[in-house]
Amino acid sequence: MIRFTVWKSKNQYCGFESKGHAGYAEEGNDIICSAVSVLTINTVNSIDAFTDDDYEAEQSEDGGYLKIHFPEPLSDKAALLMDSLVLGIESIQADYGKQYITLLIEEV
């Protein structure tokens, strides 16, 4: 199962973490893992390309872990990109179920 956690403080994004594998299908054919990878990588690349916001990243070699931390409050553009990421993760969870992906939004 993928555990996707978003951290917020006073309604501001602080970061997110994607941990685990969905187990929906065999490696290489798992559409849930692929979808989460595309959403997270595109969000980080978009923040990098379209904003001046800084972030710190940690990731694992096997692709089953990504953690992004925002050291400063996000610009409106970056916050919108994060809203879009959360919407996408919520949609995957709604379509495929919590047995494959769980979204947690934590106040820090």
Side-chain angles (χ1 to χ4, degrees):
M1 175 205 303
I2 297 172
R3 183 180 173 108
F4 199 96
T5 306
V6 176
W7 298 294
K8 292 180 107 176
S9 177
K10 298 177 184 171
N11 214 28
Q12 294 282 330
Y13 289 104
C14 301
F16 67 88
E17 178 183 66
S18 180
K19 183 171 23 176
H21 294 281
Y24 181 78
E26 291 181 30
E27 185 177 334
N29 294 312
D30 194 319
I31 59 174
I32 296 173
C33 282
S34 295
V36 171
S37 293
V38 167
L39 285 171
T40 56
I41 291 167
N42 189 65
T43 299
V44 173
N45 287 344
S46 295
I47 289 170
D48 195 46
F50 301 127
T51 77
D52 293 325
D53 294 272
D54 291 324
Y55 60 88
E56 300 160 359
E58 288 179 45
Q59 60 186 359
S60 68
E61 293 293 318
D62 72 351
Y65 181 77
L66 175 65
K67 180 179 180 182
I68 301 294
H69 169 70
F70 303 114
E72 301 291 329
L74 293 180
S75 65
D76 289 344
K77 284 182 182 179
L80 180 61
L81 291 166
M82 282 298 299
D83 286 342
S84 179
L85 171 63
V86 171
L87 177 64
I89 298 298
E90 287 173 336
S91 296
I92 294 168
Q93 180 180 278
D95 289 347
Y96 292 95
K98 291 183 179 181
Q99 70 268 33
Y100 299 111
I101 183 167
T102 300
L103 171 64
L104 303 165
I105 300 177
E106 296 181 352
E107 183 70 23
V108 292

